[in-house]
Amino acid sequence: MTAEIGSEDRVAMVRRAWDAYNAGDIEAVLRFFDADVEVYVPTELANAGTYKGHEEFVRWVAAWNDAWESFDTRVIETVPVGERHAVSHVHQTGIGRGSGVEVTRDIGWLYEVRDGRCVHVGLHPSFDSALAVAREREGLESDVGS
């Protein structure tokens, strides 16, 4: 039997993980993740693929950071969905390493939390699409509020 945490605690955990990530503290981020965390990035986003476990997550982040001269991630909001999920609306701005091209994009990050640890992270092309997937994973109707 799993002990799920409340929606406020889930959102607070995700916010702390974002704060740690933006501070460059990957070890603190890893403490939020289950050892077998799965990170899914669809083909329409950069660095697409499925990454499993802490080691693959660290490699994925390193490859992402290597592609940018500078990169800024700002969380606009994080909302709970159902009993296990939270979704962050994230604004990203980066300057490509070597190219100097500036890229700006809003995306959705979906988190599934079980037993106080994140077991799944899914990046989505928009906040709304991440919300829809979270609701589907929870078995909720698409028009049901979180």
Side-chain angles (χ1 to χ4, degrees):
M1 180 159 88
T2 61
E4 304 303 341
I5 63 172
S7 61
E8 290 179 21
D9 291 336
R10 201 171 341 122
V11 168
M13 286 176 62
V14 169
R15 287 182 181 149
R16 284 192 304 274
W18 274 114
D19 289 345
Y21 178 80
N22 284 330
D25 189 350
I26 296 301
E27 288 301 315
V29 175
L30 293 177
R31 287 192 294 274
F32 170 64
F33 288 159
D34 183 81
D36 296 322
V37 66
E38 176 183 80
V39 178
Y40 170 74
V41 184
T43 56
E44 60 265 36
L45 297 176
N47 292 1
T50 300
Y51 306 88
K52 294 185 180 183
H54 288 187
E55 189 174 310
E56 288 188 16
F57 171 78
V58 169
R59 278 199 307 264
W60 173 66
V61 168
W64 179 257
N65 289 336
D66 285 347
W68 301 98
E69 182 179 314
S70 67
F71 195 79
D72 179 60
T73 301
R74 183 173 51 91
V75 179
I76 296 169
E77 69 176 317
T78 299
V79 298
V81 178
E83 299 296 319
R84 300 181 323 272
H85 293 84
V87 176
S88 291
H89 180 181
V90 178
H91 180 77
Q92 299 175 319
T93 303
I95 298 174
R97 188 176 308 281
S99 71
V101 173
E102 184 172 332
V103 177
T104 299
R105 181 171 197 165
D106 283 9
I107 66 172
W109 286 62
L110 176 150
Y111 304 89
E112 181 178 354
V113 177
R114 291 189 183 193
D115 295 327
R117 297 260 187 247
C118 180
V119 297
H120 175 83
V121 178
L123 279 67
H124 296 273
S126 71
F127 179 64
D128 288 341
S129 64
L131 282 173
V133 170
R135 289 179 178 129
E136 180 180 308
R137 290 171 63 104
E138 288 279 346
L140 301 172
E141 296 294 324
S142 62
D143 62 345
V144 172
S146 53

